[in-house]
């Protein structure tokens, strides 16, 4: 299973779609971004950006702590999570008025 999250930009014609495994749930909770990722349906990107940025900063500042939440099966690692979340933040910054849709 995986989390699909996408942002539909109002003015722009581009959709941003990101997908990542649910195996990162514990890491997302510890980083404080779980709500912003899983419970952001209908919100604008700019509404969750502060939470995503803060969580990403925490992950960058404490890699050893967050690596303990790596999935034992290898599907969901700190390195993948940081890359994915970094990319998501960039896209949300480009389209701050975009409406978030989430499917699980």
């Amino acid at each position: 299973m995986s989390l699909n999250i996408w942002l539909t930009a109002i003015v722009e014609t581009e959709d941003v779609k990101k997908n990542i495994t649910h195996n990162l749930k514990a890491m997302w909770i510890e980083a404080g971004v779980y709500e912003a990722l899983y419970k952001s349906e209908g919100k604008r990107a700019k509404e969750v950006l502060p939470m995503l940025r803060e969580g990403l900063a925490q992950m960058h500042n404490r890699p050893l702590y967050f690596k303990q939440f790596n999935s034992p099966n290898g599907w969901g690692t700190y390195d993948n999570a940081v890359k994915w979340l970094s990319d998501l933040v960039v896209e949300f910054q480009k389209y701050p008025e975009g409406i978030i849709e989430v499917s699980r």
Side-chain angles (χ1 to χ4, degrees):
M1 299 190 74
S2 63
L3 165 72
N4 292 302
I5 187 165
W6 63 92
L7 175 69
T8 301
I10 303 290
V11 178
E12 298 83 358
T13 59
E14 183 177 341
D15 284 350
V16 174
K17 295 183 180 180
K18 302 290 289 170
N19 177 286
I20 198 155
T21 180
H22 287 300
N23 290 341
L24 290 166
K25 180 180 176 182
M27 195 178 302
W28 296 143
I29 290 169
E30 288 298 313
V33 299
Y34 179 83
E35 296 287 321
L37 295 174
Y38 283 80
K39 309 222 182 221
S40 58
E41 180 82 26
K43 293 183 180 180
R44 297 200 183 277
K46 66 182 180 185
E47 294 177 70
V48 300
L49 262 171
M51 289 173 274
L52 298 179
R53 286 184 188 128
E54 176 59 30
L56 185 58
Q58 285 185 42
M59 292 177 77
H60 279 297
N61 291 334
R62 299 172 58 205
L64 291 177
Y65 175 75
F66 284 99
K67 285 182 181 183
Q68 74 178 315
F69 300 103
N70 282 350
S71 175
N73 68 8
W75 290 92
T77 65
Y78 168 84
D79 292 332
N80 296 112
V82 168
K83 170 77 170 107
W84 186 86
L85 190 55
S86 296
D87 291 347
L88 187 67
V89 166
V90 167
E91 294 300 330
F92 278 29
Q93 288 174 151
K94 280 186 357 188
Y95 305 106
E97 295 298 326
I99 305 296
I100 300 168
E101 297 178 54
V102 177
S103 78
R104 300 182 257 313

